[in-house]
Amino acid sequence: MNIAIRHLDKFGYVGVFSSGLIGTFGGGRAGATNAPTGPTWEERHKEALDNAKLKQGLKLLWFATGKDDFLMETSRGTVAMLKRHGFDPVFIETPGAHTWIVWRNYLKEFAPQLFR
């Protein structure tokens, strides 16, 4: 997200597996104290988020997160924030947690969309 949003002119496809803007929308492991100080990620990237010209080449912004993943609220919050800025992300909630087998399934679903 940190790279793709600032450089949408270089990325037509963005896939986010079991993640989002960590430390921004809650979620995370119990006891984690990674709350940001100062301007939020959204405030720091507002110009890029609202730049319609940058969004023109974006063909797919794809998120998937397992319902048992400790980052589910982070994913949901990130998707909601992107929608507020005029993005149209695909968001899929699947069975599973924060595991390799879940991500392997996401890759299997996401990769073919790159070649349509």
Side-chain angles (χ1 to χ4, degrees):
M1 292 295 302
N2 287 316
I3 295 169
I5 294 299
R6 289 181 293 152
H7 301 284
L8 285 174
D9 55 328
K10 295 175 176 49
F11 294 97
Y13 300 85
V14 178
V16 181
F17 301 1
S18 294
S19 193
L21 299 169
I22 297 172
T24 303
F25 298 105
R29 295 202 187 275
T33 56
N34 56 354
T37 58
T40 65
W41 189 95
E42 184 175 7
E43 291 166 340
R44 291 190 317 271
H45 295 87
K46 186 173 179 4
E47 185 176 328
L49 289 166
D50 292 335
N51 187 329
K53 186 175 180 183
L54 281 179
K55 295 176 195 172
Q56 287 177 348
L58 185 62
K59 294 175 178 71
L60 179 62
L61 180 55
W62 193 90
F63 285 77
T65 304
K67 292 178 183 176
D68 297 320
D69 195 315
F70 67 94
L71 289 172
M72 177 54 85
E73 291 309 312
T74 297
S75 296
R76 287 178 180 154
T78 301
V79 168
M81 181 269 303
L82 291 167
K83 287 180 177 180
R84 285 194 304 271
H85 289 277
F87 287 86
D88 187 24
V90 172
F91 181 46
I92 301 167
E93 294 183 17
T94 68
H98 201 77
T99 64
W100 284 106
I101 193 71
V102 171
W103 302 328
R104 185 174 70 178
N105 291 333
Y106 295 164
L107 182 60
K108 181 180 170 184
E109 188 171 340
F110 176 70
Q113 296 181 69
L114 304 175
F115 303 102
R116 290 186 178 171

